[in-house]
Amino acid sequence: QVQLVESGGGSVRAGGSLRLSCVASEMIFNVNAVAWYRQVPGKEREIVASIVSTNDITNYQDSVKGRFTISRGTGMDMGYLQMNDLRPDDTGAYYCNVRVRESGTPRWIRLSTDDWGQGTQVTVSS
């Protein structure tokens, strides 16, 4: 099974910046999209940003528009999430996911029922 590993999190003060990285354990072919999610205790993961490889269309959660930028990488480097002007509400565990297009319909590497691990923790203080 392909594993995705997030890194780049940390503890910063409001207004600071972080750059998160998503790396796969092995080469992933036919990447269709990459997305980043945030999860806080007691709540489900929610999508923060996504990018579609076929047309580079990006989508962002309203609360991060103008502050976060998602980008794609190459090889086993799935991409990055640049986070600027961080706010306390951005605090949470961040995860990445990759969508691939096989012979059928596209599928996400990580399913909602899978164990996504620890992710990378982002903590923003006032």
Side-chain angles (χ1 to χ4, degrees), residues 83-119:
M83 306 186 297
N84 297 326
D85 192 23
L86 284 162
R87 304 168 181 173
D89 286 347
D90 298 322
T91 294
Y94 281 74
Y95 302 86
C96 62
N97 203 0
V98 176
R99 189 173 70 192
V100 298
R101 185 166 62 189
E102 301 171 319
S103 59
T105 58
R107 68 177 183 88
W108 291 95
I109 294 295
R110 286 168 156 173
L111 304 179
S112 61
T113 53
D114 292 337
D115 180 8
W116 291 29
Q118 298 296 313

Coordinates of all heavy atoms in Angstrom, one line a residue, residues 83-119:
M83 N 1.3 28.1 3.8 CA 0.4 28.8 4.6 C 1.0 30.0 5.2 O 2.0 30.0 5.9 CB 0.0 27.8 5.8 CG -0.5 26.5 5.3 SD -1.1 25.4 6.7 CE 0.4 25.2 7.6
N84 N 0.3 31.2 4.8 CA 0.8 32.5 5.3 C -0.3 33.1 6.1 O -1.4 32.8 6.1 CB 1.1 33.4 4.1 CG 2.2 32.8 3.2 OD1 3.2 32.2 3.7 ND2 2.1 33.1 1.9
D85 N 0.2 34.1 6.9 CA -0.7 34.9 7.8 C -1.6 33.9 8.6 O -2.8 34.0 8.6 CB -1.6 35.8 6.9 CG -2.3 36.8 7.8 OD1 -1.9 37.1 8.9 OD2 -3.4 37.3 7.3
L86 N -0.9 33.0 9.2 CA -1.7 32.0 10.0 C -2.4 32.6 11.1 O -2.0 33.5 11.8 CB -0.7 30.9 10.5 CG -0.2 29.9 9.5 CD1 1.1 29.2 9.9 CD2 -1.3 28.9 9.1
R87 N -3.6 31.9 11.4 CA -4.5 32.4 12.5 C -4.7 31.2 13.4 O -4.5 30.0 13.1 CB -5.8 32.8 11.9 CG -5.7 33.9 10.8 CD -7.0 34.1 10.1 NE -6.9 35.1 9.1 CZ -7.9 35.4 8.2 NH1 -9.0 34.7 8.2 NH2 -7.7 36.4 7.3
P88 N -5.1 31.5 14.7 CA -5.4 30.4 15.6 C -6.4 29.4 15.1 O -6.2 28.2 15.4 CB -5.9 31.1 16.8 CG -5.2 32.5 16.8 CD -5.1 32.8 15.3
D89 N -7.3 29.8 14.3 CA -8.3 28.9 13.8 C -7.7 27.9 12.8 O -8.4 26.9 12.4 CB -9.5 29.6 13.1 CG -10.4 30.3 14.1 OD1 -10.3 29.9 15.3 OD2 -11.2 31.1 13.7
D90 N -6.5 28.1 12.3 CA -5.8 27.2 11.4 C -5.3 26.0 12.1 O -4.8 25.1 11.5 CB -4.7 27.9 10.6 CG -5.3 29.0 9.7 OD1 -6.3 28.9 9.1 OD2 -4.6 30.1 9.6
T91 N -5.2 26.1 13.4 CA -4.7 25.0 14.2 C -5.3 23.7 14.0 O -6.6 23.6 13.9 CB -4.8 25.3 15.7 OG1 -3.9 26.5 16.0 CG2 -4.3 24.2 16.6
G92 N -4.5 22.6 13.9 CA -5.1 21.3 13.7 C -4.0 20.4 13.1 O -2.9 20.8 12.8
A93 N -4.4 19.1 12.9 CA -3.6 18.1 12.3 C -3.9 18.2 10.8 O -5.0 18.1 10.4 CB -3.8 16.7 12.8
Y94 N -2.8 18.3 10.0 CA -3.0 18.4 8.5 C -2.6 17.2 7.8 O -1.6 16.5 8.2 CB -2.2 19.6 8.0 CG -2.8 20.9 8.3 CD1 -2.9 21.5 9.5 CD2 -3.5 21.6 7.2 CE1 -3.5 22.7 9.8 CE2 -4.1 22.8 7.5 CZ -4.1 23.4 8.7 OH -4.7 24.6 9.0
Y95 N -3.4 16.8 6.8 CA -3.2 15.6 6.1 C -3.3 15.9 4.6 O -4.0 16.8 4.2 CB -4.3 14.5 6.4 CG -4.3 14.1 7.8 CD1 -5.1 14.8 8.8 CD2 -3.7 13.0 8.3 CE1 -5.2 14.5 10.1 CE2 -3.7 12.6 9.6 CZ -4.5 13.3 10.5 OH -4.6 13.0 11.8
C96 N -2.6 15.1 3.8 CA -2.7 15.2 2.4 C -3.4 13.9 1.8 O -3.4 12.9 2.5 CB -1.4 15.4 1.7 SG -0.2 14.1 1.9
N97 N -3.9 14.0 0.7 CA -4.5 12.9 0.0 C -4.3 13.0 -1.5 O -4.1 14.2 -2.0 CB -6.0 12.7 0.3 CG -6.5 11.3 0.1 OD1 -5.7 10.4 -0.3 ND2 -7.8 11.1 0.3
V98 N -4.2 11.9 -2.2 CA -3.9 11.9 -3.6 C -5.0 11.2 -4.4 O -5.4 10.1 -3.9 CB -2.5 11.3 -3.9 CG1 -2.3 11.2 -5.4 CG2 -1.4 12.1 -3.3
R99 N -5.5 11.7 -5.4 CA -6.5 11.0 -6.3 C -5.8 10.6 -7.5 O -5.0 11.3 -8.2 CB -7.6 12.0 -6.6 CG -8.8 11.3 -7.3 CD -10.0 12.3 -7.4 NE -9.7 13.3 -8.4 CZ -10.5 14.4 -8.6 NH1 -11.5 14.6 -7.8 NH2 -10.2 15.3 -9.5
V100 N -6.0 9.3 -7.9 CA -5.5 8.7 -9.1 C -6.6 8.3 -10.0 O -7.7 8.0 -9.6 CB -4.6 7.5 -8.8 CG1 -3.4 8.0 -8.0 CG2 -5.3 6.4 -8.1
R101 N -6.3 8.3 -11.3 CA -7.3 7.9 -12.3 C -6.8 6.6 -12.9 O -5.8 6.6 -13.6 CB -7.5 9.0 -13.3 CG -8.6 8.6 -14.3 CD -9.0 9.8 -15.2 NE -8.0 10.4 -15.9 CZ -8.0 11.5 -16.6 NH1 -9.1 12.3 -16.5 NH2 -7.0 11.9 -17.3
E102 N -7.5 5.6 -12.6 CA -7.2 4.3 -13.2 C -8.1 4.0 -14.4 O -8.5 5.0 -15.1 CB -7.4 3.2 -12.1 CG -6.6 3.4 -10.9 CD -6.9 2.5 -9.7 OE1 -8.1 2.3 -9.5 OE2 -6.0 2.0 -9.1
S103 N -8.3 2.8 -14.7 CA -9.1 2.5 -15.9 C -10.6 2.9 -15.7 O -11.3 3.2 -16.7 CB -9.0 1.0 -16.2 OG -9.5 0.2 -15.1
G104 N -11.0 2.9 -14.5 CA -12.3 3.3 -14.1 C -12.4 4.8 -13.7 O -11.7 5.6 -14.2
T105 N -13.2 5.0 -12.7 CA -13.4 6.4 -12.2 C -12.2 6.7 -11.2 O -11.6 5.8 -10.7 CB -14.7 6.5 -11.4 OG1 -14.8 5.6 -10.4 CG2 -15.9 6.3 -12.4
P106 N -11.9 8.0 -11.1 CA -10.8 8.3 -10.2 C -11.1 7.9 -8.7 O -12.2 7.8 -8.3 CB -10.7 9.9 -10.3 CG -11.4 10.2 -11.6 CD -12.4 9.1 -11.8
R107 N -10.0 7.6 -8.0 CA -10.2 7.2 -6.6 C -9.1 7.9 -5.8 O -8.0 8.2 -6.2 CB -10.1 5.7 -6.4 CG -8.7 5.1 -6.7 CD -8.6 3.6 -6.5 NE -7.3 3.1 -6.7 CZ -6.3 3.1 -5.8 NH1 -6.6 3.5 -4.5 NH2 -5.1 2.6 -6.1
W108 N -9.4 8.1 -4.5 CA -8.5 8.7 -3.6 C -7.7 7.6 -2.9 O -8.2 6.5 -2.6 CB -9.2 9.5 -2.5 CG -9.8 10.8 -3.0 CD1 -11.1 10.9 -3.5 CD2 -9.2 12.0 -3.2 NE1 -11.3 12.2 -3.9 CE2 -10.1 12.9 -3.7 CE3 -7.9 12.4 -2.9 CZ2 -9.8 14.2 -4.0 CZ3 -7.6 13.8 -3.2 CH2 -8.5 14.6 -3.8
I109 N -6.4 7.8 -2.8 CA -5.5 6.8 -2.1 C -6.0 6.5 -0.7 O -6.0 5.3 -0.3 CB -4.1 7.3 -2.1 CG1 -3.5 7.4 -3.6 CG2 -3.2 6.4 -1.3 CD1 -3.4 6.0 -4.3
R110 N -6.3 7.5 0.0 CA -6.8 7.4 1.4 C -8.3 7.5 1.4 O -8.8 8.5 0.9 CB -6.2 8.5 2.3 CG -4.7 8.2 2.6 CD -4.1 9.5 3.3 NE -3.0 9.1 4.1 CZ -2.2 10.0 4.7 NH1 -2.4 11.3 4.5 NH2 -1.2 9.7 5.4
L111 N -8.9 6.6 2.0 CA -10.4 6.6 2.1 C -10.7 7.1 3.5 O -9.9 7.1 4.4 CB -11.0 5.2 2.0 CG -10.7 4.5 0.6 CD1 -11.3 3.1 0.6 CD2 -11.1 5.3 -0.5
S112 N -11.9 7.6 3.7 CA -12.4 8.2 4.9 C -12.3 7.2 6.1 O -12.1 7.5 7.2 CB -13.8 8.8 4.8 OG -14.7 7.8 4.5
T113 N -12.4 5.9 5.7 CA -12.4 4.8 6.7 C -11.0 4.3 7.1 O -10.8 3.5 8.0 CB -13.3 3.7 6.3 OG1 -12.9 3.2 5.0 CG2 -14.7 4.1 6.2
D114 N -10.0 4.8 6.3 CA -8.6 4.4 6.6 C -8.0 5.1 7.7 O -8.5 6.2 8.1 CB -7.8 4.6 5.3 CG -8.1 3.7 4.2 OD1 -8.7 2.6 4.4 OD2 -7.8 4.1 3.0
D115 N -7.0 4.6 8.3 CA -6.2 5.2 9.3 C -5.2 6.2 8.6 O -4.3 5.7 7.9 CB -5.5 4.2 10.2 CG -4.6 4.9 11.3 OD1 -4.7 6.1 11.4 OD2 -3.9 4.2 12.0
W116 N -5.4 7.5 8.8 CA -4.5 8.4 8.1 C -3.3 8.8 8.9 O -2.5 9.6 8.5 CB -5.3 9.7 7.8 CG -6.3 9.5 6.7 CD1 -7.0 8.4 6.4 CD2 -6.8 10.5 5.8 NE1 -7.9 8.6 5.4 CE2 -7.8 9.9 5.0 CE3 -6.5 11.9 5.6 CZ2 -8.4 10.6 4.0 CZ3 -7.1 12.6 4.6 CH2 -8.1 12.0 3.8
G117 N -3.1 8.2 10.1 CA -2.0 8.4 10.9 C -2.0 9.8 11.6 O -3.1 10.3 11.9
Q118 N -0.9 10.3 12.0 CA -0.8 11.5 12.8 C -0.9 12.8 12.0 O -1.2 13.8 12.5 CB 0.5 11.5 13.6 CG 0.5 10.3 14.6 CD -0.5 10.4 15.6 OE1 -0.8 11.5 16.2 NE2 -1.2 9.3 15.9
G119 N -0.6 12.7 10.7 CA -0.5 14.0 9.9 C 0.7 14.8 10.4 O 1.6 14.3 11.1

